[in-house]
Amino acid sequence: QVQLVESGGGLVQAGGSLRLSCAASGNIFSINFMGWYRQAPGKQRELVAVIRSGGSTNYADSVKGRFTISRDSAKNTMYLQMNGLKPEDTAVYYCNLEGVPMTARHRTFTYWGQGTQVTVSS
């Protein structure tokens, strides 16, 4: 079974930095893309950044120039480097993966991590 595990969240002062990690494990045949989402209290979950299988990336306007998404394909691990953090970045950050499992290669599945809390104090 495919599992995603996030790490790296915590409490940081405004202007500080954090790096989130997401490790994917299980019988994965292929990965279409991986991304980071976040959900703040009272708000819907929003896309923060995505990295596709070919390596191209996209970012939400609110984080462009501050966040960087990357991956280590050999380890099925994705990272989100967050610099210049603002109180508005406070949210639970979720790792997301769309891929094809070894046990069902005829279809794709979407997987989610458990989330990691990022809190930015003013």
Side-chain angles (χ1 to χ4, degrees), residues 3-106:
Q3 184 178 17
L4 305 178
V5 179
E6 299 109 325
S7 62
L11 174 64
V12 65
Q13 195 170 358
S17 299
L18 287 173
R19 188 177 75 157
L20 306 183
S21 299
C22 173
S25 62
N27 296 324
I28 304 173
F29 176 71
S30 64
I31 298 173
N32 295 333
F33 64 83
M34 298 181 71
W36 289 97
Y37 289 74
R38 67 185 181 187
Q39 187 166 24
K43 296 184 178 180
Q44 292 196 335
R45 190 172 299 184
E46 64 176 348
L47 178 66
V48 177
V50 62
I51 183 166
R52 288 174 285 276
S53 60
S56 62
T57 59
N58 290 100
Y59 298 90
D61 289 340
S62 60
V63 306
K64 285 183 178 178
R66 299 188 297 120
F67 291 9
T68 303
I69 188 171
S70 62
R71 71 181 184 191
D72 184 336
S73 297
K75 297 182 178 181
N76 285 336
T77 301
M78 178 180 63
Y79 306 93
L80 184 68
Q81 179 66 46
M82 305 185 294
N83 299 324
L85 284 163
K86 304 175 181 179
E88 306 93 270
D89 296 318
T90 296
V92 177
Y93 284 70
Y94 297 91
C95 177
N96 172 261
L97 182 155
E98 181 184 286
V100 178
M102 289 293 296
T103 55
R105 294 168 60 182
H106 60 287

